[in-house]
Short mmCIF file of all heavy atoms in Angstrom, two decimals:
data_model
loop_
_atom_site.label_atom_id
_atom_site.label_comp_id
_atom_site.label_asym_id
_atom_site.label_seq_id
_atom_site.Cartn_x
_atom_site.Cartn_y
_atom_site.Cartn_z
N ARG A 1 1.62 6.32 23.09
CA ARG A 1 0.63 5.43 22.49
C ARG A 1 -0.77 6.04 22.51
O ARG A 1 -1.07 6.89 23.36
CB ARG A 1 0.58 4.08 23.20
CG ARG A 1 1.79 3.19 22.91
CD ARG A 1 1.57 1.76 23.34
NE ARG A 1 2.66 0.91 22.91
CZ ARG A 1 2.68 -0.42 23.03
NH1 ARG A 1 1.65 -1.05 23.60
NH2 ARG A 1 3.70 -1.12 22.61
N CYS A 2 -1.58 5.57 21.58
CA CYS A 2 -2.99 5.95 21.51
C CYS A 2 -3.80 4.67 21.29
O CYS A 2 -3.42 3.81 20.50
CB CYS A 2 -3.23 6.93 20.36
SG CYS A 2 -4.98 7.32 20.07
N SER A 3 -4.90 4.54 22.04
CA SER A 3 -5.76 3.36 21.91
C SER A 3 -7.21 3.81 21.77
O SER A 3 -7.64 4.77 22.42
CB SER A 3 -5.63 2.45 23.14
OG SER A 3 -4.30 2.00 23.30
N ILE A 4 -7.95 3.10 20.91
CA ILE A 4 -9.38 3.38 20.72
C ILE A 4 -10.17 2.15 21.13
O ILE A 4 -9.95 1.05 20.59
CB ILE A 4 -9.69 3.76 19.27
CG1 ILE A 4 -8.91 5.02 18.88
CG2 ILE A 4 -11.20 3.97 19.08
CD1 ILE A 4 -9.02 5.36 17.39
N PHE A 5 -11.05 2.33 22.10
CA PHE A 5 -11.85 1.22 22.62
C PHE A 5 -13.31 1.39 22.21
O PHE A 5 -13.81 2.51 22.09
CB PHE A 5 -11.77 1.15 24.15
CG PHE A 5 -10.43 0.74 24.67
CD1 PHE A 5 -9.44 1.68 24.91
CD2 PHE A 5 -10.16 -0.60 24.93
CE1 PHE A 5 -8.20 1.31 25.41
CE2 PHE A 5 -8.92 -0.99 25.42
CZ PHE A 5 -7.94 -0.03 25.66
N ILE A 6 -13.98 0.27 22.01
CA ILE A 6 -15.40 0.26 21.64
C ILE A 6 -16.18 -0.59 22.64
O ILE A 6 -15.71 -1.66 23.06
CB ILE A 6 -15.59 -0.30 20.22
CG1 ILE A 6 -15.00 0.68 19.20
CG2 ILE A 6 -17.07 -0.54 19.91
CD1 ILE A 6 -15.14 0.21 17.77
N VAL A 7 -17.33 -0.11 23.02
CA VAL A 7 -18.22 -0.88 23.90
C VAL A 7 -18.98 -1.89 23.06
O VAL A 7 -19.58 -1.54 22.04
CB VAL A 7 -19.22 0.05 24.63
CG1 VAL A 7 -20.14 -0.77 25.53
CG2 VAL A 7 -18.48 1.10 25.43
N GLU A 8 -18.92 -3.14 23.45
CA GLU A 8 -19.68 -4.18 22.75
C GLU A 8 -21.17 -3.84 22.81
O GLU A 8 -21.63 -3.23 23.77
CB GLU A 8 -19.43 -5.53 23.42
CG GLU A 8 -19.96 -6.72 22.63
CD GLU A 8 -19.70 -8.02 23.37
OE1 GLU A 8 -19.86 -8.03 24.60
OE2 GLU A 8 -19.34 -9.00 22.73
N ARG A 9 -21.92 -4.24 21.80
CA ARG A 9 -23.33 -3.85 21.73
C ARG A 9 -24.14 -4.34 22.91
O ARG A 9 -25.13 -3.72 23.29
CB ARG A 9 -23.95 -4.37 20.42
CG ARG A 9 -23.55 -3.53 19.21
CD ARG A 9 -24.19 -4.05 17.96
NE ARG A 9 -23.78 -5.42 17.67
CZ ARG A 9 -24.39 -6.21 16.80
NH1 ARG A 9 -25.46 -5.79 16.16
NH2 ARG A 9 -23.94 -7.43 16.58
N SER A 10 -23.72 -5.43 23.53
CA SER A 10 -24.41 -5.90 24.73
C SER A 10 -24.17 -4.96 25.91
O SER A 10 -24.92 -4.96 26.89
CB SER A 10 -23.93 -7.30 25.10
OG SER A 10 -22.58 -7.27 25.52
N GLY A 11 -23.11 -4.16 25.81
CA GLY A 11 -22.80 -3.20 26.85
C GLY A 11 -21.97 -3.75 28.00
O GLY A 11 -21.62 -3.02 28.92
N GLN A 12 -21.61 -5.03 27.95
CA GLN A 12 -20.90 -5.65 29.06
C GLN A 12 -19.39 -5.68 28.88
O GLN A 12 -18.65 -5.72 29.86
CB GLN A 12 -21.42 -7.08 29.27
CG GLN A 12 -22.89 -7.15 29.64
CD GLN A 12 -23.22 -6.32 30.86
OE1 GLN A 12 -22.57 -6.43 31.89
NE2 GLN A 12 -24.23 -5.47 30.74
N SER A 13 -18.93 -5.68 27.65
CA SER A 13 -17.49 -5.77 27.38
C SER A 13 -16.99 -4.56 26.63
O SER A 13 -17.74 -3.91 25.89
CB SER A 13 -17.18 -7.04 26.57
OG SER A 13 -17.49 -8.20 27.30
N ILE A 14 -15.74 -4.25 26.85
CA ILE A 14 -15.06 -3.17 26.13
C ILE A 14 -13.85 -3.79 25.46
O ILE A 14 -13.07 -4.49 26.10
CB ILE A 14 -14.60 -2.07 27.11
CG1 ILE A 14 -15.79 -1.52 27.90
CG2 ILE A 14 -13.89 -0.95 26.37
CD1 ILE A 14 -15.39 -0.73 29.13
N TRP A 15 -13.69 -3.56 24.16
CA TRP A 15 -12.55 -4.16 23.49
C TRP A 15 -11.80 -3.15 22.64
O TRP A 15 -12.35 -2.17 22.18
CB TRP A 15 -12.95 -5.38 22.67
CG TRP A 15 -14.09 -5.20 21.71
CD1 TRP A 15 -15.42 -5.32 22.00
CD2 TRP A 15 -14.02 -4.89 20.31
NE1 TRP A 15 -16.17 -5.10 20.87
CE2 TRP A 15 -15.34 -4.84 19.83
CE3 TRP A 15 -12.96 -4.67 19.43
CZ2 TRP A 15 -15.64 -4.56 18.50
CZ3 TRP A 15 -13.27 -4.38 18.10
CH2 TRP A 15 -14.58 -4.35 17.64
N LEU A 16 -10.52 -3.42 22.48
CA LEU A 16 -9.65 -2.56 21.70
C LEU A 16 -10.00 -2.68 20.23
O LEU A 16 -10.01 -3.78 19.68
CB LEU A 16 -8.19 -2.95 21.92
CG LEU A 16 -7.17 -2.10 21.17
CD1 LEU A 16 -7.00 -0.75 21.86
CD2 LEU A 16 -5.83 -2.82 21.11
N ARG A 17 -10.28 -1.56 19.59
CA ARG A 17 -10.55 -1.57 18.14
C ARG A 17 -9.31 -1.25 17.35
O ARG A 17 -9.08 -1.76 16.28
CB ARG A 17 -11.66 -0.56 17.81
CG ARG A 17 -12.13 -0.65 16.36
CD ARG A 17 -12.77 -2.00 16.10
NE ARG A 17 -13.16 -2.18 14.71
CZ ARG A 17 -12.37 -2.65 13.75
NH1 ARG A 17 -11.11 -2.96 14.02
NH2 ARG A 17 -12.83 -2.81 12.52
N ALA A 18 -8.46 -0.34 17.90
CA ALA A 18 -7.19 0.00 17.26
C ALA A 18 -6.26 0.57 18.32
O ALA A 18 -6.71 1.28 19.22
CB ALA A 18 -7.40 1.01 16.14
N GLY A 19 -4.98 0.26 18.21
CA GLY A 19 -4.04 0.76 19.21
C GLY A 19 -2.62 0.73 18.68
O GLY A 19 -2.27 -0.12 17.86
N THR A 20 -1.81 1.66 19.14
CA THR A 20 -0.41 1.73 18.74
C THR A 20 0.31 0.45 19.16
O THR A 20 0.34 0.11 20.34
CB THR A 20 0.28 2.94 19.38
OG1 THR A 20 -0.50 4.11 19.15
CG2 THR A 20 1.66 3.14 18.79
N GLY A 21 0.85 -0.26 18.19
CA GLY A 21 1.59 -1.48 18.48
C GLY A 21 0.72 -2.66 18.88
O GLY A 21 1.24 -3.68 19.33
N LEU A 22 -0.60 -2.55 18.69
CA LEU A 22 -1.52 -3.62 19.08
C LEU A 22 -2.48 -3.93 17.93
O LEU A 22 -2.66 -3.13 17.02
CB LEU A 22 -2.32 -3.20 20.31
CG LEU A 22 -1.52 -2.94 21.60
CD1 LEU A 22 -2.43 -2.31 22.64
CD2 LEU A 22 -0.92 -4.23 22.13
N LYS A 23 -3.10 -5.10 18.02
CA LYS A 23 -4.10 -5.51 17.04
C LYS A 23 -5.49 -5.40 17.66
O LYS A 23 -5.65 -5.39 18.87
CB LYS A 23 -3.85 -6.95 16.59
CG LYS A 23 -2.53 -7.17 15.88
CD LYS A 23 -2.35 -8.63 15.52
CE LYS A 23 -1.00 -8.89 14.86
NZ LYS A 23 -0.81 -10.33 14.54
N ALA A 24 -6.48 -5.31 16.78
CA ALA A 24 -7.86 -5.25 17.25
C ALA A 24 -8.17 -6.44 18.14
O ALA A 24 -7.79 -7.57 17.84
CB ALA A 24 -8.83 -5.22 16.07
N LYS A 25 -8.81 -6.18 19.28
CA LYS A 25 -9.22 -7.18 20.25
C LYS A 25 -8.06 -7.81 21.01
O LYS A 25 -8.24 -8.83 21.67
CB LYS A 25 -10.09 -8.26 19.60
CG LYS A 25 -11.43 -7.71 19.10
CD LYS A 25 -12.41 -8.81 18.76
CE LYS A 25 -13.77 -8.22 18.39
NZ LYS A 25 -14.77 -9.24 18.10
N ASP A 26 -6.87 -7.20 20.93
CA ASP A 26 -5.76 -7.67 21.78
C ASP A 26 -6.10 -7.45 23.25
O ASP A 26 -5.57 -8.15 24.12
CB ASP A 26 -4.47 -6.92 21.43
CG ASP A 26 -3.68 -7.64 20.34
OD1 ASP A 26 -4.12 -8.71 19.90
OD2 ASP A 26 -2.61 -7.12 19.94
N ILE A 27 -6.94 -6.44 23.49
CA ILE A 27 -7.35 -6.13 24.86
C ILE A 27 -8.87 -6.19 24.93
O ILE A 27 -9.56 -5.58 24.12
CB ILE A 27 -6.88 -4.74 25.30
CG1 ILE A 27 -5.35 -4.64 25.22
CG2 ILE A 27 -7.36 -4.43 26.72
CD1 ILE A 27 -4.82 -3.24 25.48
N GLU A 28 -9.40 -6.94 25.89
CA GLU A 28 -10.84 -6.98 26.14
C GLU A 28 -11.06 -6.87 27.65
O GLU A 28 -10.45 -7.59 28.42
CB GLU A 28 -11.48 -8.26 25.60
CG GLU A 28 -12.99 -8.26 25.71
CD GLU A 28 -13.64 -9.40 24.94
OE1 GLU A 28 -12.91 -10.17 24.30
OE2 GLU A 28 -14.88 -9.51 24.98
N ILE A 29 -11.89 -5.92 28.05
CA ILE A 29 -12.08 -5.60 29.46
C ILE A 29 -13.56 -5.60 29.80
O ILE A 29 -14.39 -5.14 29.00
CB ILE A 29 -11.48 -4.21 29.78
CG1 ILE A 29 -10.01 -4.14 29.37
CG2 ILE A 29 -11.63 -3.87 31.25
CD1 ILE A 29 -9.42 -2.75 29.42
N ASP A 30 -13.88 -6.11 30.96
CA ASP A 30 -15.26 -6.05 31.43
C ASP A 30 -15.61 -4.60 31.77
O ASP A 30 -14.78 -3.85 32.26
CB ASP A 30 -15.43 -6.93 32.67
CG ASP A 30 -16.88 -7.03 33.10
OD1 ASP A 30 -17.58 -7.93 32.63
OD2 ASP A 30 -17.30 -6.19 33.92
N ARG A 31 -16.84 -4.24 31.50
CA ARG A 31 -17.30 -2.87 31.76
C ARG A 31 -17.13 -2.47 33.22
O ARG A 31 -16.93 -1.29 33.54
CB ARG A 31 -18.77 -2.73 31.33
CG ARG A 31 -19.32 -1.32 31.43
CD ARG A 31 -20.82 -1.30 31.16
NE ARG A 31 -21.35 0.05 31.21
CZ ARG A 31 -21.50 0.84 30.16
NH1 ARG A 31 -21.18 0.40 28.96
NH2 ARG A 31 -21.99 2.06 30.30
N HIS A 32 -17.22 -3.44 34.11
CA HIS A 32 -17.14 -3.16 35.54
C HIS A 32 -15.77 -3.45 36.13
O HIS A 32 -15.61 -3.48 37.35
CB HIS A 32 -18.22 -3.97 36.28
CG HIS A 32 -19.61 -3.70 35.78
ND1 HIS A 32 -20.28 -2.53 36.06
CD2 HIS A 32 -20.43 -4.44 35.00
CE1 HIS A 32 -21.48 -2.56 35.48
NE2 HIS A 32 -21.59 -3.70 34.84
N ALA A 33 -14.78 -3.64 35.28
CA ALA A 33 -13.44 -3.96 35.74
C ALA A 33 -12.78 -2.72 36.36
O ALA A 33 -13.20 -1.58 36.15
CB ALA A 33 -12.59 -4.48 34.58
N ASP A 34 -11.72 -2.99 37.12
CA ASP A 34 -10.93 -1.92 37.72
C ASP A 34 -9.93 -1.42 36.69
O ASP A 34 -8.74 -1.73 36.73
CB ASP A 34 -10.22 -2.44 38.97
CG ASP A 34 -9.38 -1.35 39.65
OD1 ASP A 34 -9.66 -0.16 39.39
OD2 ASP A 34 -8.47 -1.70 40.42
N ALA A 35 -10.43 -0.66 35.72
CA ALA A 35 -9.60 -0.14 34.64
C ALA A 35 -10.02 1.29 34.35
O ALA A 35 -11.18 1.66 34.49
CB ALA A 35 -9.76 -1.01 33.39
N VAL A 36 -9.07 2.10 33.91
CA VAL A 36 -9.35 3.51 33.62
C VAL A 36 -10.39 3.63 32.53
O VAL A 36 -11.32 4.44 32.62
CB VAL A 36 -8.06 4.25 33.23
CG1 VAL A 36 -8.37 5.69 32.82
CG2 VAL A 36 -7.06 4.23 34.37
N VAL A 37 -10.26 2.83 31.47
CA VAL A 37 -11.22 2.92 30.36
C VAL A 37 -12.61 2.50 30.80
O VAL A 37 -13.62 3.10 30.38
CB VAL A 37 -10.74 2.08 29.15
CG1 VAL A 37 -10.73 0.59 29.46
CG2 VAL A 37 -11.61 2.35 27.93
N SER A 38 -12.70 1.51 31.68
CA SER A 38 -14.00 1.09 32.19
C SER A 38 -14.64 2.20 33.02
O SER A 38 -15.84 2.50 32.88
CB SER A 38 -13.87 -0.17 33.05
OG SER A 38 -13.35 -1.25 32.30
N GLU A 39 -13.84 2.82 33.88
CA GLU A 39 -14.35 3.91 34.71
C GLU A 39 -14.79 5.10 33.86
O GLU A 39 -15.82 5.73 34.13
CB GLU A 39 -13.26 4.35 35.70
CG GLU A 39 -13.72 5.42 36.68
CD GLU A 39 -12.61 5.84 37.64
OE1 GLU A 39 -11.56 5.16 37.69
OE2 GLU A 39 -12.80 6.87 38.33
N CYS A 40 -14.01 5.40 32.83
CA CYS A 40 -14.34 6.50 31.93
C CYS A 40 -15.67 6.26 31.22
O CYS A 40 -16.52 7.15 31.14
CB CYS A 40 -13.21 6.67 30.90
SG CYS A 40 -13.55 7.86 29.60
N ILE A 41 -15.86 5.03 30.73
CA ILE A 41 -17.09 4.70 30.01
C ILE A 41 -18.29 4.65 30.94
O ILE A 41 -19.38 5.10 30.60
CB ILE A 41 -16.90 3.37 29.24
CG1 ILE A 41 -15.97 3.62 28.04
CG2 ILE A 41 -18.24 2.79 28.79
CD1 ILE A 41 -15.53 2.37 27.33
N ARG A 42 -18.09 4.14 32.15
CA ARG A 42 -19.20 4.09 33.12
C ARG A 42 -19.63 5.50 33.53
O ARG A 42 -20.82 5.80 33.64
CB ARG A 42 -18.79 3.29 34.36
CG ARG A 42 -18.68 1.81 34.16
CD ARG A 42 -18.66 1.07 35.51
NE ARG A 42 -17.65 1.58 36.43
CZ ARG A 42 -16.41 1.10 36.53
NH1 ARG A 42 -16.02 0.11 35.75
NH2 ARG A 42 -15.56 1.62 37.42
N SER A 43 -18.66 6.36 33.77
CA SER A 43 -18.97 7.71 34.27
C SER A 43 -19.29 8.70 33.16
O SER A 43 -19.99 9.69 33.39
CB SER A 43 -17.80 8.24 35.10
OG SER A 43 -16.66 8.45 34.28
N GLY A 44 -18.76 8.43 31.95
CA GLY A 44 -18.93 9.38 30.87
C GLY A 44 -18.08 10.63 31.03
O GLY A 44 -18.30 11.65 30.37
N GLU A 45 -17.06 10.55 31.90
CA GLU A 45 -16.21 11.70 32.19
C GLU A 45 -14.78 11.45 31.70
O GLU A 45 -14.30 10.33 31.68
CB GLU A 45 -16.18 11.97 33.70
CG GLU A 45 -17.53 12.25 34.33
CD GLU A 45 -18.11 13.57 33.87
OE1 GLU A 45 -17.30 14.47 33.50
OE2 GLU A 45 -19.34 13.73 33.90
#
């Protein structure tokens, strides 16, 4: 699978824009959540 996430303009939420087998916004994660995508976006690494 491949997923593309976008940071909401407020900077507080991260939501799925497109994903294999998923629809846009099927996944929404807080920027500070215990999630790999959140950690990646916070660290920029």
Side-chain angles (χ1 to χ4, degrees):
R1 287 194 173 187
C2 174
S3 301
I4 299 172
F5 291 88
I6 292 180
V7 180
E8 191 182 41
R9 283 181 299 165
S10 67
Q12 298 305 309
S13 296
I14 303 164
W15 51 275
L16 181 76
R17 188 65 184 87
T20 310
L22 298 170
K23 297 178 182 178
K25 294 193 175 182
D26 270 358
I27 301 173
E28 186 169 358
I29 305 170
D30 187 90
R31 186 187 182 95
H32 303 287
D34 180 20
V36 175
V37 66
S38 299
E39 184 181 348
C40 173
I41 288 171
R42 288 196 307 268
S43 67
E45 301 292 334

